[in-house]
Amino acid sequence: MSIEGKVKILVSDDDLTARILMKETLASDSIEVLEAENGERAIEQFEQHNPALLLLDVSMPKMNGFEVCDYIRKHKNGKHIPIIMVTGSDDIDSIHKSYAVGATDFIAKPIKWPILGERVKYILRASQAFADLVTQQQELHQLAFYDSLTGLPNRQYLMQDLKRFLAMAKRNDYQAAMLFIDLDRFKRINDTMGHSYGDKLLRKVAHRLQANLRDSDTFARVSTEQTIEAPQLSSFGGDEFTIFLSRLNDPNEAMLVAERVIRSFSTPFQLEQYEVVVTPSIGISMFPNDGEDAEMLLKNADTAMYFAKQSGRCCYKFYQDSMNSKAAARLQLEQDLRQALKSNEIVPFYQPQVCAKSGRIVGVEALVRWLPLKGGIIPPDEFIPIAEETGLINELGRLVLEQGCYQAKQWLDSGHSVRMAINVSAHQFRQHDFTQTVAQVLEQSQLPPSLLELELTESVIMSDAEENIARLVELKSLGVSLAVDDFGTGYSSLSYLKRFPIDILKIDRSFMCDVNSAPDDVAIVEAILALAESLKLGVIAEGIEYTSQIAILKSSNELLLQGYLFSRPVAAEYIGPLLSQNFTHLMAEL
């Protein structure tokens, strides 16, 4: 029986006396000596115990020492094990043959036993040092070529092997495809659940993707890949993955893989007690049409993935040449936006909110505009999505908040108490220090909190209702008003709506019909008004363009009207004259 923790040495000799003497010489508290009386028994002991060193007599029955040494060197576990051959003192041919079959060293008979013990200890130390070096090299290779989170090959591994794969495809004249996968809205998992849950989700995504690959596919996570012979999931880092498909007959095969991946994500991922749904956006580039080298193929797949996200996410798009020019234009717009934020090209325009009873302007909504120094105007629907995707929305949002508060304070100082409504993006609202930011801006501008209204869309506050209630309470404690923008377009639960510390519902412009509209459209507006009245909430009806629209709006608690009927969004200097006007003549039908 072997003793746990001891180093095992195998002594193989058909001479019993020699085996006994070797065992007496080598055995110790740290070394266990195994014995074999012939070559076949030596191989059995090696395969059973995987010893750290072997001493093999050259002349043995059944299999001689040379044959045993050659067998072990070809074995998967025997490549680096030290093997000492025991030969006759004048047997030079055996010594040469020992090295030829892979022996580490030799000892000549008659054996000098004290020297044998020291020699074995030295060889064991050298073997351990070599094993440590091999382990260190393996660890360095793992760090260099594999993702530490998922254990998958990384981008460096992918790029290294893609060159070989594409050369093979070109030589054999077959098609291949690169699928670039990005998880939609993955950041919200880290933001709402924490990075530990995000990491767990990435590992589960990796396993699921790997399960959906064919044996001939090469798979990577935007830092990883697989080999053609054995599918392998890889990571580019973060929430990006790639799949390389080899030996395709036509693009439809890549399409089928993309569809299979998307279907596989329809099942929620179980993260402890939570069920999380995440979807993939996939870009596909084909070899050789969309790129003849690894970098171009990957770049174009990435570009196609971006357009998949633009198309609504949870879908795939094949690369097209026109995408590059659009992507370049978008990149230029992003760079221009960064510069615009520094050069005061981003400014708020203001649209009045008129009190239905008094006909006076009691508030304005700040609506961001981009006025390039070279002239013209860039519509918000072109740059706001870019700001959200790049994180610039936080800087842009703070700019509008600051300018809006300072402008409201100027109007207040001139004798006009005007409530300033500021839109808050999902990115801003999720910032842990957003409440402190609002408090800081109010203090710096000296604007009374009661003259600041923060507008959040229905979908934002319902994204994580329980947590958002606490955030809204924090904001409300500052003394500001809270409004639900685009009400009716999201998925509010009445039970949550009652718990939210909100003050105002904004009826989305899509619901603003007139007296000649279908009964169902009128009923929706009337239902929102009734809900607001029962919850004692104010109402702002936006999108008012005709006096006939006002007719269906019943007198409500603090009913405000906003739309082109009163004014388009304009620069601050154009609001001043409007503050003294009365729009009662437009309320005749109310």
Side-chain angles (χ1 to χ4, degrees), residues 372-408:
L373 296 177
K374 59 186 178 183
I377 183 169
I378 299 177
D381 58 0
E382 287 189 20
F383 68 87
I384 293 296
I386 293 177
E388 290 178 339
E389 291 171 15
T390 59
L392 291 173
I393 193 68
N394 293 323
E395 182 179 351
L396 187 152
R398 171 143 190 169
L399 183 151
V400 174
L401 176 64
E402 290 176 345
Q403 293 192 19
C405 287
Y406 278 102
Q407 182 58 63

mmCIF file of all heavy atoms in Angstrom, residues 372-408:
data_model
loop_
_atom_site.group_PDB
_atom_site.id
_atom_site.type_symbol
_atom_site.label_atom_id
_atom_site.label_comp_id
_atom_site.label_asym_id
_atom_site.label_seq_id
_atom_site.Cartn_x
_atom_site.Cartn_y
_atom_site.Cartn_z
ATOM 1 N N PRO A 372 -24.460 73.669 -33.851
ATOM 2 C CA PRO A 372 -23.037 73.708 -34.232
ATOM 3 C C PRO A 372 -22.583 75.128 -34.548
ATOM 4 O O PRO A 372 -23.359 75.948 -35.078
ATOM 5 C CB PRO A 372 -22.980 72.818 -35.472
ATOM 6 C CG PRO A 372 -24.191 71.940 -35.387
ATOM 7 C CD PRO A 372 -25.229 72.788 -34.738
ATOM 8 N N LEU A 373 -21.342 75.436 -34.233
ATOM 9 C CA LEU A 373 -20.800 76.771 -34.493
ATOM 10 C C LEU A 373 -20.796 77.090 -35.982
ATOM 11 O O LEU A 373 -20.880 78.260 -36.375
ATOM 12 C CB LEU A 373 -19.374 76.866 -33.928
ATOM 13 C CG LEU A 373 -19.256 76.740 -32.403
ATOM 14 C CD1 LEU A 373 -17.794 76.782 -31.983
ATOM 15 C CD2 LEU A 373 -20.056 77.829 -31.701
ATOM 16 N N LYS A 374 -20.694 76.052 -36.812
ATOM 17 C CA LYS A 374 -20.672 76.269 -38.258
ATOM 18 C C LYS A 374 -22.071 76.537 -38.815
ATOM 19 O O LYS A 374 -22.233 76.789 -40.010
ATOM 20 C CB LYS A 374 -20.065 75.060 -38.960
ATOM 21 C CG LYS A 374 -20.806 73.766 -38.708
ATOM 22 C CD LYS A 374 -20.070 72.575 -39.309
ATOM 23 C CE LYS A 374 -20.788 71.264 -39.017
ATOM 24 N NZ LYS A 374 -20.055 70.091 -39.542
ATOM 25 N N GLY A 375 -23.096 76.479 -37.963
ATOM 26 C CA GLY A 375 -24.452 76.764 -38.394
ATOM 27 C C GLY A 375 -25.327 75.537 -38.464
ATOM 28 O O GLY A 375 -24.855 74.398 -38.429
ATOM 29 N N GLY A 376 -26.635 75.755 -38.563
ATOM 30 C CA GLY A 376 -27.588 74.652 -38.642
ATOM 31 C C GLY A 376 -27.969 74.147 -37.267
ATOM 32 O O GLY A 376 -27.646 74.735 -36.236
ATOM 33 N N ILE A 377 -28.666 73.027 -37.256
ATOM 34 C CA ILE A 377 -29.097 72.405 -36.004
ATOM 35 C C ILE A 377 -29.128 70.896 -36.201
ATOM 36 O O ILE A 377 -29.524 70.400 -37.272
ATOM 37 C CB ILE A 377 -30.485 72.923 -35.568
ATOM 38 C CG1 ILE A 377 -30.878 72.315 -34.206
ATOM 39 C CG2 ILE A 377 -31.545 72.628 -36.623
ATOM 40 C CD1 ILE A 377 -32.097 72.976 -33.594
ATOM 41 N N ILE A 378 -28.666 70.150 -35.211
ATOM 42 C CA ILE A 378 -28.679 68.682 -35.270
ATOM 43 C C ILE A 378 -29.809 68.189 -34.387
ATOM 44 O O ILE A 378 -29.837 68.492 -33.179
ATOM 45 C CB ILE A 378 -27.333 68.099 -34.813
ATOM 46 C CG1 ILE A 378 -26.212 68.588 -35.743
ATOM 47 C CG2 ILE A 378 -27.381 66.573 -34.794
ATOM 48 C CD1 ILE A 378 -24.834 68.135 -35.335
ATOM 49 N N PRO A 379 -30.776 67.451 -34.946
ATOM 50 C CA PRO A 379 -31.952 67.012 -34.182
ATOM 51 C C PRO A 379 -31.568 66.128 -32.995
ATOM 52 O O PRO A 379 -30.617 65.337 -33.078
ATOM 53 C CB PRO A 379 -32.770 66.216 -35.214
ATOM 54 C CG PRO A 379 -32.273 66.672 -36.538
ATOM 55 C CD PRO A 379 -30.833 67.011 -36.351
ATOM 56 N N PRO A 380 -32.302 66.232 -31.911
ATOM 57 C CA PRO A 380 -32.018 65.412 -30.721
ATOM 58 C C PRO A 380 -32.050 63.912 -31.004
ATOM 59 O O PRO A 380 -31.283 63.160 -30.405
ATOM 60 C CB PRO A 380 -33.123 65.813 -29.741
ATOM 61 C CG PRO A 380 -33.551 67.166 -30.189
ATOM 62 C CD PRO A 380 -33.399 67.179 -31.673
ATOM 63 N N ASP A 381 -32.950 63.466 -31.901
ATOM 64 C CA ASP A 381 -33.043 62.025 -32.141
ATOM 65 C C ASP A 381 -31.805 61.474 -32.856
ATOM 66 O O ASP A 381 -31.654 60.260 -32.973
ATOM 67 C CB ASP A 381 -34.316 61.669 -32.923
ATOM 68 C CG ASP A 381 -34.402 62.392 -34.261
ATOM 69 O OD1 ASP A 381 -33.482 63.161 -34.595
ATOM 70 O OD2 ASP A 381 -35.397 62.178 -34.987
ATOM 71 N N GLU A 382 -30.910 62.365 -33.304
ATOM 72 C CA GLU A 382 -29.661 61.909 -33.910
ATOM 73 C C GLU A 382 -28.538 61.781 -32.890
ATOM 74 O O GLU A 382 -27.711 60.886 -32.984
ATOM 75 C CB GLU A 382 -29.233 62.871 -35.027
ATOM 76 C CG GLU A 382 -30.060 62.774 -36.291
ATOM 77 C CD GLU A 382 -29.471 63.573 -37.436
ATOM 78 O OE1 GLU A 382 -28.254 63.889 -37.370
ATOM 79 O OE2 GLU A 382 -30.213 63.893 -38.386
ATOM 80 N N PHE A 383 -28.496 62.706 -31.914
ATOM 81 C CA PHE A 383 -27.353 62.677 -30.985
ATOM 82 C C PHE A 383 -27.684 62.127 -29.599
ATOM 83 O O PHE A 383 -26.786 61.668 -28.895
ATOM 84 C CB PHE A 383 -26.699 64.060 -30.873
ATOM 85 C CG PHE A 383 -27.529 65.116 -30.202
ATOM 86 C CD1 PHE A 383 -27.499 65.268 -28.820
ATOM 87 C CD2 PHE A 383 -28.310 65.990 -30.946
ATOM 88 C CE1 PHE A 383 -28.234 66.257 -28.194
ATOM 89 C CE2 PHE A 383 -29.054 66.981 -30.330
ATOM 90 C CZ PHE A 383 -29.022 67.116 -28.949
ATOM 91 N N ILE A 384 -28.961 62.153 -29.191
ATOM 92 C CA ILE A 384 -29.296 61.613 -27.866
ATOM 93 C C ILE A 384 -28.991 60.114 -27.763
ATOM 94 O O ILE A 384 -28.398 59.661 -26.768
ATOM 95 C CB ILE A 384 -30.774 61.883 -27.510
ATOM 96 C CG1 ILE A 384 -31.015 63.387 -27.312
ATOM 97 C CG2 ILE A 384 -31.187 61.126 -26.257
ATOM 98 C CD1 ILE A 384 -30.254 63.978 -26.145
ATOM 99 N N PRO A 385 -29.356 59.276 -28.768
ATOM 100 C CA PRO A 385 -28.998 57.847 -28.676
ATOM 101 C C PRO A 385 -27.491 57.624 -28.567
ATOM 102 O O PRO A 385 -27.044 56.734 -27.831
ATOM 103 C CB PRO A 385 -29.560 57.267 -29.974
ATOM 104 C CG PRO A 385 -30.670 58.186 -30.360
ATOM 105 C CD PRO A 385 -30.198 59.550 -29.953
ATOM 106 N N ILE A 386 -26.701 58.431 -29.278
ATOM 107 C CA ILE A 386 -25.243 58.298 -29.190
ATOM 108 C C ILE A 386 -24.768 58.678 -27.795
ATOM 109 O O ILE A 386 -23.894 58.020 -27.215
ATOM 110 C CB ILE A 386 -24.563 59.174 -30.261
ATOM 111 C CG1 ILE A 386 -24.868 58.629 -31.656
ATOM 112 C CG2 ILE A 386 -23.055 59.249 -30.031
ATOM 113 C CD1 ILE A 386 -24.301 59.460 -32.788
ATOM 114 N N ALA A 387 -25.341 59.730 -27.254
ATOM 115 C CA ALA A 387 -24.968 60.148 -25.902
ATOM 116 C C ALA A 387 -25.280 59.057 -24.881
ATOM 117 O O ALA A 387 -24.500 58.816 -23.949
ATOM 118 C CB ALA A 387 -25.711 61.439 -25.531
ATOM 119 N N GLU A 388 -26.405 58.368 -25.065
ATOM 120 C CA GLU A 388 -26.778 57.300 -24.135
ATOM 121 C C GLU A 388 -25.842 56.108 -24.263
ATOM 122 O O GLU A 388 -25.432 55.507 -23.263
ATOM 123 C CB GLU A 388 -28.225 56.881 -24.382
ATOM 124 C CG GLU A 388 -29.246 57.937 -23.964
ATOM 125 C CD GLU A 388 -30.669 57.523 -24.261
ATOM 126 O OE1 GLU A 388 -30.851 56.647 -25.127
ATOM 127 O OE2 GLU A 388 -31.592 58.068 -23.635
ATOM 128 N N GLU A 389 -25.491 55.743 -25.490
ATOM 129 C CA GLU A 389 -24.633 54.573 -25.710
ATOM 130 C C GLU A 389 -23.210 54.810 -25.228
ATOM 131 O O GLU A 389 -22.539 53.882 -24.771
ATOM 132 C CB GLU A 389 -24.622 54.211 -27.197
ATOM 133 C CG GLU A 389 -25.946 53.671 -27.714
ATOM 134 C CD GLU A 389 -25.952 53.523 -29.222
ATOM 135 O OE1 GLU A 389 -24.865 53.573 -29.825
ATOM 136 O OE2 GLU A 389 -27.042 53.385 -29.805
ATOM 137 N N THR A 390 -22.727 56.033 -25.328
ATOM 138 C CA THR A 390 -21.341 56.334 -24.968
ATOM 139 C C THR A 390 -21.172 56.800 -23.531
ATOM 140 O O THR A 390 -20.046 56.957 -23.056
ATOM 141 C CB THR A 390 -20.780 57.426 -25.898
ATOM 142 O OG1 THR A 390 -21.587 58.602 -25.784
ATOM 143 C CG2 THR A 390 -20.769 56.954 -27.344
ATOM 144 N N GLY A 391 -22.269 57.036 -22.828
ATOM 145 C CA GLY A 391 -22.182 57.541 -21.460
ATOM 146 C C GLY A 391 -22.103 59.048 -21.381
ATOM 147 O O GLY A 391 -22.101 59.628 -20.283
ATOM 148 N N LEU A 392 -22.058 59.719 -22.541
ATOM 149 C CA LEU A 392 -22.029 61.186 -22.556
ATOM 150 C C LEU A 392 -23.336 61.784 -22.043
ATOM 151 O O LEU A 392 -23.402 62.975 -21.740
ATOM 152 C CB LEU A 392 -21.749 61.694 -23.976
ATOM 153 C CG LEU A 392 -20.344 61.431 -24.530
ATOM 154 C CD1 LEU A 392 -20.268 61.826 -25.995
ATOM 155 C CD2 LEU A 392 -19.304 62.188 -23.714
ATOM 156 N N ILE A 393 -24.369 60.959 -21.951
ATOM 157 C CA ILE A 393 -25.673 61.450 -21.509
ATOM 158 C C ILE A 393 -25.604 62.010 -20.088
ATOM 159 O O ILE A 393 -26.354 62.930 -19.741
ATOM 160 C CB ILE A 393 -26.743 60.322 -21.596
ATOM 161 C CG1 ILE A 393 -28.152 60.899 -21.448
ATOM 162 C CG2 ILE A 393 -26.458 59.235 -20.574
ATOM 163 C CD1 ILE A 393 -28.586 61.752 -22.594
ATOM 164 N N ASN A 394 -24.698 61.477 -19.263
ATOM 165 C CA ASN A 394 -24.575 61.991 -17.899
ATOM 166 C C ASN A 394 -24.031 63.420 -17.904
ATOM 167 O O ASN A 394 -24.532 64.289 -17.193
ATOM 168 C CB ASN A 394 -23.660 61.078 -17.074
ATOM 169 C CG ASN A 394 -24.280 59.717 -16.844
ATOM 170 O OD1 ASN A 394 -25.482 59.590 -16.659
ATOM 171 N ND2 ASN A 394 -23.461 58.680 -16.871
ATOM 172 N N GLU A 395 -23.001 63.656 -18.722
ATOM 173 C CA GLU A 395 -22.442 65.000 -18.834
ATOM 174 C C GLU A 395 -23.455 65.944 -19.471
ATOM 175 O O GLU A 395 -23.633 67.086 -19.024
ATOM 176 C CB GLU A 395 -21.160 64.957 -19.667
ATOM 177 C CG GLU A 395 -20.466 66.284 -19.817
ATOM 178 C CD GLU A 395 -19.187 66.191 -20.639
ATOM 179 O OE1 GLU A 395 -18.762 65.056 -20.947
ATOM 180 O OE2 GLU A 395 -18.631 67.252 -20.989
ATOM 181 N N LEU A 396 -24.137 65.464 -20.517
ATOM 182 C CA LEU A 396 -25.132 66.282 -21.198
ATOM 183 C C LEU A 396 -26.296 66.606 -20.264
ATOM 184 O O LEU A 396 -26.772 67.736 -20.204
ATOM 185 C CB LEU A 396 -25.620 65.550 -22.449
ATOM 186 C CG LEU A 396 -26.550 66.283 -23.414
ATOM 187 C CD1 LEU A 396 -26.372 65.737 -24.830
ATOM 188 C CD2 LEU A 396 -27.998 66.149 -23.012
ATOM 189 N N GLY A 397 -26.736 65.596 -19.516
ATOM 190 C CA GLY A 397 -27.856 65.794 -18.593
ATOM 191 C C GLY A 397 -27.531 66.799 -17.507
ATOM 192 O O GLY A 397 -28.368 67.634 -17.137
ATOM 193 N N ARG A 398 -26.311 66.729 -16.976
ATOM 194 C CA ARG A 398 -25.924 67.697 -15.932
ATOM 195 C C ARG A 398 -25.868 69.100 -16.517
ATOM 196 O O ARG A 398 -26.261 70.074 -15.854
ATOM 197 C CB ARG A 398 -24.579 67.320 -15.336
ATOM 198 C CG ARG A 398 -24.026 68.399 -14.420
ATOM 199 C CD ARG A 398 -23.319 67.882 -13.230
ATOM 200 N NE ARG A 398 -23.030 68.965 -12.293
ATOM 201 C CZ ARG A 398 -22.593 68.767 -11.061
ATOM 202 N NH1 ARG A 398 -22.408 67.539 -10.608
ATOM 203 N NH2 ARG A 398 -22.337 69.791 -10.278
ATOM 204 N N LEU A 399 -25.376 69.229 -17.744
ATOM 205 C CA LEU A 399 -25.305 70.540 -18.394
ATOM 206 C C LEU A 399 -26.698 71.170 -18.487
ATOM 207 O O LEU A 399 -26.888 72.345 -18.160
ATOM 208 C CB LEU A 399 -24.665 70.396 -19.771
ATOM 209 C CG LEU A 399 -24.430 71.649 -20.608
ATOM 210 C CD1 LEU A 399 -23.214 71.460 -21.521
ATOM 211 C CD2 LEU A 399 -25.647 71.992 -21.456
ATOM 212 N N VAL A 400 -27.679 70.379 -18.946
ATOM 213 C CA VAL A 400 -29.047 70.894 -19.080
ATOM 214 C C VAL A 400 -29.630 71.222 -17.709
ATOM 215 O O VAL A 400 -30.319 72.239 -17.538
ATOM 216 C CB VAL A 400 -29.935 69.879 -19.823
ATOM 217 C CG1 VAL A 400 -31.389 70.339 -19.848
ATOM 218 C CG2 VAL A 400 -29.418 69.662 -21.243
ATOM 219 N N LEU A 401 -29.362 70.373 -16.723
ATOM 220 C CA LEU A 401 -29.851 70.624 -15.360
ATOM 221 C C LEU A 401 -29.296 71.945 -14.833
ATOM 222 O O LEU A 401 -30.039 72.771 -14.280
ATOM 223 C CB LEU A 401 -29.447 69.470 -14.447
ATOM 224 C CG LEU A 401 -29.803 69.611 -12.960
ATOM 225 C CD1 LEU A 401 -31.310 69.646 -12.769
ATOM 226 C CD2 LEU A 401 -29.178 68.457 -12.157
ATOM 227 N N GLU A 402 -27.996 72.159 -14.995
ATOM 228 C CA GLU A 402 -27.375 73.385 -14.493
ATOM 229 C C GLU A 402 -27.912 74.613 -15.216
ATOM 230 O O GLU A 402 -28.319 75.594 -14.584
ATOM 231 C CB GLU A 402 -25.848 73.299 -14.658
ATOM 232 C CG GLU A 402 -25.184 72.301 -13.727
ATOM 233 C CD GLU A 402 -23.698 72.180 -13.982
ATOM 234 O OE1 GLU A 402 -23.240 72.653 -15.056
ATOM 235 O OE2 GLU A 402 -22.994 71.606 -13.137
ATOM 236 N N GLN A 403 -27.935 74.566 -16.560
ATOM 237 C CA GLN A 403 -28.382 75.730 -17.318
ATOM 238 C C GLN A 403 -29.860 76.020 -17.053
ATOM 239 O O GLN A 403 -30.269 77.185 -16.960
ATOM 240 C CB GLN A 403 -28.130 75.520 -18.807
ATOM 241 C CG GLN A 403 -26.651 75.466 -19.168
ATOM 242 C CD GLN A 403 -26.417 75.550 -20.670
ATOM 243 O OE1 GLN A 403 -27.273 75.992 -21.433
ATOM 244 N NE2 GLN A 403 -25.245 75.115 -21.106
ATOM 245 N N GLY A 404 -30.662 74.973 -16.943
ATOM 246 C CA GLY A 404 -32.084 75.158 -16.674
ATOM 247 C C GLY A 404 -32.324 75.813 -15.320
ATOM 248 O O GLY A 404 -33.155 76.719 -15.188
ATOM 249 N N CYS A 405 -31.606 75.346 -14.291
ATOM 250 C CA CYS A 405 -31.791 75.913 -12.954
ATOM 251 C C CYS A 405 -31.327 77.369 -12.897
ATOM 252 O O CYS A 405 -31.992 78.224 -12.279
ATOM 253 C CB CYS A 405 -31.035 75.076 -11.920
ATOM 254 S SG CYS A 405 -31.807 73.474 -11.571
ATOM 255 N N TYR A 406 -30.196 77.668 -13.514
ATOM 256 C CA TYR A 406 -29.722 79.056 -13.524
ATOM 257 C C TYR A 406 -30.700 79.962 -14.286
ATOM 258 O O TYR A 406 -30.935 81.115 -13.890
ATOM 259 C CB TYR A 406 -28.329 79.131 -14.144
ATOM 260 C CG TYR A 406 -27.222 78.794 -13.179
ATOM 261 C CD1 TYR A 406 -26.592 77.553 -13.206
ATOM 262 C CD2 TYR A 406 -26.813 79.726 -12.214
ATOM 263 C CE1 TYR A 406 -25.585 77.233 -12.320
ATOM 264 C CE2 TYR A 406 -25.797 79.406 -11.317
ATOM 265 C CZ TYR A 406 -25.183 78.166 -11.371
ATOM 266 O OH TYR A 406 -24.190 77.864 -10.469
ATOM 267 N N GLN A 407 -31.287 79.439 -15.390
ATOM 268 C CA GLN A 407 -32.231 80.242 -16.151
ATOM 269 C C GLN A 407 -33.510 80.496 -15.349
ATOM 270 O O GLN A 407 -34.038 81.613 -15.332
ATOM 271 C CB GLN A 407 -32.574 79.530 -17.467
ATOM 272 C CG GLN A 407 -33.515 80.307 -18.368
ATOM 273 C CD GLN A 407 -32.964 81.666 -18.742
ATOM 274 O OE1 GLN A 407 -31.928 81.765 -19.386
ATOM 275 N NE2 GLN A 407 -33.661 82.732 -18.352
ATOM 276 N N ALA A 408 -34.007 79.494 -14.670
ATOM 277 C CA ALA A 408 -35.214 79.665 -13.844
ATOM 278 C C ALA A 408 -34.960 80.677 -12.737
ATOM 279 O O ALA A 408 -35.856 81.455 -12.373
ATOM 280 C CB ALA A 408 -35.644 78.317 -13.257
#
